[in-house]
Amino acid sequence: MSRPLPLLQATALACERDWRMLFENLELQIVPGDMLQISGPNGSGKTSLLRLLCGLMQPSAGEILLNGRSLIEQRAELARQLLWIGHAAGIKELLTPTENLTWLCALHRPADGTAIAQALEAVGLRGFEALPCHTLSAGQHRRVALARLYLDSPALWILDEPFTALDKQGVAQLEAHLAEHCEQGGMVVLTTHHTLTRMPTGYRDIDLGQWAV
């Protein structure tokens, strides 16, 4: 069976930061069902690659295509098809978990109060919905951010170190949720220092150390 057409594709991609070439001539494709783990030593450009795929940075060379067309021409379309959660939780400390999710969802896909409450319960934050986030632990901050994965969301998730600060139960739950998303036709691109124990059929790994200059 042939692979479906890629949603996102990088051709001859290069990234230079602070006058140092991190990688070049990188090729990748992301199709429905894929889980793509970006690995490599510190400083190899893992986060930079994610930011390139999200349109937050421009490549030094090469091109990124969305549905076969240049990403530069489709920023708004990418925003509709992508959920990005960076290494930092991106949570506003003075807002509650409910208020944070309401604000974050309003940027692209508004969610009602019932859906937000269910998402927070799914990540173990029932009873914490109305507390200011500055009173929560680092792990709970991460759970607030990850609750977006339990709301109506795009098919492509790009996640930078999503397991940071999670306890053993949270790690296992997130692994299962990511795998299920891919098994249902979604796509995940992630970086992590955590060794995955549950990987969907479409799992692949790209070691940026092999593309270093």
Side-chain angles (χ1 to χ4, degrees), residues 66 71-82 108:
L66 175 66
L71 185 61
I72 296 175
E73 304 169 359
Q74 302 184 83
R75 295 297 181 83
E77 181 61 24
L78 179 65
R80 286 191 288 270
Q81 300 201 37
L82 167 72
H108 299 295

Side-chain angles (χ1 to χ4, degrees), residues 1-151:
M1 181 181 298
S2 61
R3 280 168 63 83
L5 294 176
L7 173 70
L8 208 59
Q9 180 177 3
T11 59
L13 202 64
C15 179
E16 181 181 357
R17 294 293 303 274
D18 300 323
W19 299 282
R20 182 171 70 91
M21 190 67 74
L22 299 179
F23 56 80
E24 62 180 356
N25 294 319
L26 187 146
E27 307 274 339
L28 65 81
Q29 293 186 348
I30 303 165
V31 305
D34 275 354
M35 176 182 286
L36 180 62
Q37 180 176 351
I38 309 301
S39 60
N42 291 339
S44 60
K46 298 186 293 294
T47 294
S48 294
L49 176 55
L50 295 191
R51 293 177 65 83
L52 288 169
L53 296 177
C54 290
L56 299 174
M57 289 173 49
Q58 292 300 311
S60 303
E63 187 175 30
I64 300 174
L65 305 176
L66 175 66
N67 288 320
R69 293 173 50 211
S70 174
L71 185 61
I72 296 175
E73 304 169 359
Q74 302 184 83
R75 295 297 181 83
E77 181 61 24
L78 179 65
R80 286 191 288 270
Q81 300 201 37
L82 167 72
L83 173 59
W84 155 255
I85 299 179
H87 186 269
I91 300 303
K92 294 185 178 296
E93 296 281 350
L94 295 180
L95 299 183
T96 67
T98 297
E99 290 168 338
N100 266 289
L101 287 183
T102 300
W103 174 75
L104 288 167
C105 291
L107 297 175
H108 299 295
R109 296 192 180 202
D112 62 28
T114 298
I116 288 174
Q118 291 172 344
L120 290 170
E121 182 174 5
V123 296
L125 289 178
R126 183 177 183 180
F128 296 89
E129 303 96 327
L131 296 178
C133 282
H134 68 79
T135 67
L136 304 182
S137 70
Q140 289 171 321
H141 275 75
R142 176 60 53 180
R143 289 171 183 266
V144 174
L146 294 174
R148 297 171 66 194
L149 303 178
Y150 291 84
L151 293 163

